Amino acid sequence: MSRANAIGRLGMLAVGLGMGVAVAATSGIASADSTDIDPAAFDPSALIADPAPAASGLDVAISIDGSTLFQEGTATAYSGTDDIAIAYGSDALATAGLGTGDYAFADGTDAQAYSGVGNEDSATAIGADSFADAGTGNGDTGFADGSDTGVIAGGESNSGTVDVAGDDSYASAVGNNDFAGAGPDVGSVPSTTDVTGDIASVIGNSSEAISGAGSYDFAGALGEALTSSATGANFLFELMPSL
């Protein structure tokens, strides 16, 4: 019940009581005791008490700069210094931050987003069982939008072990059952040195694109059930279907 309604009801009650007292006094039939109010006979708390709140049904967690600002339900968010993590959905998980300026957003049942062994990394996972990991290096971006879709940009920050890093890597996948990976640890021949500027992009369903183990590589898959690979050297390019 809102405070305004409660105040209004109390005001109406006061007016009613005042009118009753006035009528009794002018009629001459009320005794001296008739104008008294028995406190036990009237309990105003019933008018102003709020009802017990119902369960929200939300699964939301927000963590900024290492502090949990909000947590409701089964969603979980963790952040480090100058980082932001937001999780929305049943058992969703967002983790940002062994570096600074990292961002992780997970939206969907069992969605997972990890960012930030390096700095200024961003991971976004949208959809049931989606997965996004960005950031053994700096400036990496991973974006997954679809159920059972995953991306890794710049290497696996969630692994906890970084041998080589990927900087300014970008991996995106839009569709269902897709995977896109860009950075040092992709393909059959992982890089032994840091790499930079790799791009992998998928638009479609059940497709895969991987680029890296070298620098400035591009792999793209535009369609259904396609595979694109540009790995093992620098300045490789592959787009499926081919032009």
Side-chain angles (χ1 to χ4, degrees), residues 2-230:
S2 69
R3 179 171 297 181
N5 289 338
I7 292 172
R9 290 195 178 189
L10 286 174
M12 292 175 65
L13 178 61
V15 171
L17 289 173
M19 291 178 63
V21 171
V23 170
T26 58
S27 65
I29 61 173
S31 67
D33 294 335
S34 65
T35 59
D36 295 335
I37 299 177
D38 182 1
F42 171 65
D43 182 7
S45 64
L47 297 176
I48 62 176
D50 291 327
S56 66
L58 291 175
D59 293 293
V60 181
I62 301 173
S63 181
I64 298 177
D65 198 24
S67 299
T68 298
L69 302 186
F70 184 84
Q71 201 284 321
E72 180 79 18
T74 60
T76 307
Y78 303 98
S79 67
T81 302
D82 295 329
D83 302 319
I84 299 173
I86 302 171
Y88 178 72
S90 177
D91 294 314
L93 172 63
T95 299
L98 294 176
T100 60
D102 300 313
Y103 173 79
F105 176 67
D107 179 4
T109 299
D110 295 314
Q112 299 180 50
Y114 303 91
S115 69
V117 173
N119 303 319
E120 306 296 334
D121 299 313
S122 174
T124 300
I126 302 173
D129 297 301
S130 58
F131 176 87
D133 192 342
T136 58
N138 302 317
D140 300 313
T141 301
F143 179 83
D145 186 357
S147 62
D148 296 302
T149 287
V151 298
I152 298 175
E156 294 187 57
S157 66
N158 186 43
S159 67
T161 301
V162 178
D163 296 320
V164 292
D167 295 324
D168 298 317
S169 299
Y170 177 84
S172 69
V174 179
N176 299 321
N177 302 300
D178 295 325
F179 175 76
D185 298 321
V186 297
S188 59
V189 184
S191 176
T192 57
T193 60
D194 293 349
V195 301
T196 189
D198 295 314
I199 299 173
S201 183
V202 172
I203 299 177
N205 298 311
S206 302
S207 292
E208 177 181 87
I210 54 175
S211 69
S215 295
Y216 304 106
D217 300 315
F218 174 87
L222 306 178
E224 311 295 306
L226 298 175
T227 298
S228 178
S229 178

